[in-house]
């Protein structure tokens, strides 16, 4: 690694591609002859308008987003989406949620403030270590949408097949898997992702919403800023947006396009995940925490035989230059987040370290 950087296995904010950081550094003091940094630039300037438009255009190309979907850049990170989804999509006042871990629980708790929530499937019975069967959910006819967290960052599960929503709208929190594999946008009514896991700096979410779901007639209590239509009507420039995040995310979209798009990225991610899971499957000291068929390619939680040994591994790994391997406080153990920007060499180096650690236990 250049510049004395470490392999950062954080669940978010997370690593960004080195090439992108270098480009940003090169443009820091004077963005393309504008005489200023993007951070200093008016969001109404020509230069920034081009940055925003290019970011959207490149994301559209990357995900092959159909023309009847709008792309929005909204502040408030991922968490604001827990409220915006029910505020904007509950017409009949009923949301169906699949409960697969901490992030879907947060979405459920927030949605309950605005309407009725039906938990139509859950994996709480086995500590959220799997994705429940979603082929025949009991969805009331009046339900406004079915909501999933497509990759549970803390628990390390992912949907390898989308739920059967029986004709109802599908809403997905893709925060920790956004742009990690090809995605058929038309399968969804709304996709949102906090960008600090797989794309750029914290504080913003990308929202991809089907145009016909934008509404004028929201309840009076909904703040102007929290109506998706506000952002759609103003090209995400209703107020001063998170210009810096839009700029950095745009760079990452460009980078992904230049490196073969999402098919190529998915292949790289599959390779990295295979290195890690092969190791876990063959280890007698470390154990993966997730049912095999539901494993995430992005977040890999695992444990040793005891809490004390979990902590000892984390300390030894940190000393060896592998950062942020401690599992989330709600589940313990260890977790390696191996997002798009984690190089394969980083995963190989960590696995090598863990193998040696294991060998030294005997
Ligand atoms: C991180 C995360 C969030 C919350 O994002 P913030 O920007 O911190 O609010 C929501 N959902 C998932 C799946 C996440 O990983």
């Amino acid at each position: 690694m250049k510049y004395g950087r470490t392999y950062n296995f954080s669940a978010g904010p997370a690593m960004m591609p080195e090439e992108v950081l270098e480009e940003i550094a090169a443009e820091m003091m004077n963005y393309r002859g504008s005489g200023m940094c993007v951070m200093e630039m008016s969001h109404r300037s020509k230069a920034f308008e081009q940055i925003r438009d290019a970011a959207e255009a490149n994301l559209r190309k990357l995900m092959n987003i159909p023309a009847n979907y709008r792309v929005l850049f909204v502040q408030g990170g991922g968490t604001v989406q827990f409220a915006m989804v029910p505020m904007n999509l509950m017409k009949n006042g009923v949301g169906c949620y699949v409960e697969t871990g901490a992030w879907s629980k947060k979405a459920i708790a927030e949605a309950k403030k605005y309407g009725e929530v039906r938990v139509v499937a859950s994996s709480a019975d086995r500590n959220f270590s799997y994705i429940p069967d979603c082929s025949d959910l009991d969805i009331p006819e009046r339900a406004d949408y079915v909501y999933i967290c497509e990759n549970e960052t803390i628990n390390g599960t992912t949907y390898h097949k989308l739920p059967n929503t029986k004709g109802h709208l599908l809403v997905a929190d893709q925060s920790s898997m956004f742009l990690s594999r090809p995605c058929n946008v038309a399968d969804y009514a709304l996709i949102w992702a906090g960008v600090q896991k797989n794309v750029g700096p914290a504080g913003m979410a990308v929202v991809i919403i089907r145009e016909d779901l934008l509404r004028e007639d929201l309840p009076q209590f909904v703040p102007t800023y929290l109506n998706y239509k506000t952002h759609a009507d103003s090209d995400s420039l209703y107020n001063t947006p998170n210009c810096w995040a839009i700029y950095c995310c745009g760079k990452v979209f460009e980078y992904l396009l230049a490196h073969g798009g999402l098919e190529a990225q998915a292949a790289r991610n599959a390779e990295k995940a295979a290195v890690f899971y092969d190791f876990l499957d063959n280890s007698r000291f470390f154990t993966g925490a997730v049912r095999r068929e539901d494993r995430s390619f992005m977040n890999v939680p695992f444990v040793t035989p005891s809490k004390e040994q979990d902590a000892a591994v984390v300390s030894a790994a940190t000393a060896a230059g592998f950062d942020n391997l401690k599992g989330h406080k709600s589940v313990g153990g260890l977790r390696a987040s191996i997002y798009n920007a984690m190089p394969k060499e980083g995963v190989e180096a960590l696995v090598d370290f863990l193998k040696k650690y294991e060998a030294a236990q005997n």
Side-chain angles (χ1 to χ4, degrees), residues 98-101 105 119 121-130 132 155:
V98 181
E99 183 190 49
T100 50
K105 278 164 73 172
V119 176
S122 172
S123 53
D125 61 337
R126 278 186 276 140
N127 206 18
F128 301 119
S129 62
Y130 70 106
N155 307 86

Side-chain angles (χ1 to χ4, degrees), residues 53-351:
D53 290 352
E56 176 173 343
N58 285 327
L59 181 63
R60 284 188 171 277
K61 203 192 269 180
L62 198 52
M63 293 183 77
N64 205 5
I65 300 174
N68 64 326
Y69 284 74
R70 298 298 303 268
V71 172
L72 316 176
F73 301 112
V74 184
Q75 297 181 68
T79 296
V80 166
Q81 295 309 311
F82 295 144
M84 279 182 88
V85 166
M87 279 180 176
N88 283 266
L89 297 189
M90 277 185 174
K91 264 187 173 167
N92 300 328
V94 186
C96 292
Y97 282 72
V98 181
E99 183 190 49
T100 50
W103 291 117
S104 37
K105 278 164 73 172
K106 282 204 167 172
I108 289 166
E110 194 68 15
K112 280 181 178 167
K113 295 185 173 184
Y114 308 105
E116 184 188 335
V117 168
R118 299 272 187 104
V119 176
V120 288
S122 172
S123 53
D125 61 337
R126 278 186 276 140
N127 206 18
F128 301 119
S129 62
Y130 70 106
I131 296 288
D133 179 7
C134 294
S135 59
D136 186 20
L137 301 171
D138 185 13
I139 303 167
E141 209 38 60
R142 305 168 36 240
D144 291 305
Y145 58 86
V146 176
Y147 179 105
I148 60 169
C149 175
E150 201 165 336
N151 185 84
E152 280 279 0
T153 323
I154 292 172
N155 307 86
T157 55
T158 207
Y159 288 77
H160 292 288
K161 185 170 181 283
L162 292 177
N164 174 4
T165 64
K166 301 179 175 172
H168 290 84
L169 303 179
L170 177 64
V171 176
D173 170 2
Q174 287 197 347
S175 298
S176 49
M177 56 158 301
F178 193 54
L179 307 180
S180 67
R181 61 186 187 204
C183 164
N184 183 26
V185 174
D187 289 341
Y188 305 78
L190 189 158
I191 294 168
W192 67 264
V195 296
Q196 76 273 31
K197 311 292 164 67
N198 228 356
V199 193
M204 191 177 82
V206 172
V207 175
I208 302 168
I209 181 172
R210 222 175 63 198
E211 207 162 42
D212 60 291
L213 299 170
L214 299 168
R215 286 168 60 196
E216 205 89 62
D217 62 328
L218 290 188
Q220 196 55 37
F221 70 82
V222 176
T224 308
Y225 191 83
L226 299 191
N227 185 340
Y228 289 123
K229 195 167 185 303
T230 301
H231 301 274
D233 287 349
S234 61
D235 287 331
S236 304
L237 290 165
Y238 174 71
N239 67 337
T240 320
N242 187 338
C243 300
W244 184 248
I246 293 171
Y247 163 69
C248 296
C249 289
K251 289 266 182 222
V252 173
F253 302 154
E254 235 178 275
Y255 170 89
L256 289 171
L257 281 170
H259 288 78
L262 297 187
E263 297 275 354
Q265 186 59 48
R268 289 193 290 274
N269 290 337
E271 259 183 54
K272 284 187 284 176
V275 170
F276 213 103
Y277 287 120
D278 283 351
F279 156 69
L280 286 180
D281 289 343
N282 290 302
S283 172
R284 303 178 66 174
F285 184 72
F286 297 102
T287 314
V290 173
R291 182 167 75 177
R292 185 179 283 260
E293 57 267 40
D294 303 321
R295 285 167 165 175
S296 167
F297 281 18
M298 299 280 103
N299 313 97
V300 187
F302 58 106
V303 294
T304 71
S306 75
K307 278 191 175 125
E308 292 69 33
Q309 293 177 91
D310 289 345
V313 178
V314 172
S315 304
T318 308
F322 304 103
D323 270 342
N324 291 311
L325 281 169
K326 195 164 179 276
H328 190 268
K329 57 185 187 298
S330 64
V331 295
L334 295 99
R335 172 178 50 170
S337 294
I338 51 173
Y339 294 121
N340 280 0
M342 169 62 66
K344 189 175 176 203
E345 300 77 55
V347 178
E348 286 169 343
L350 175 61
V351 163

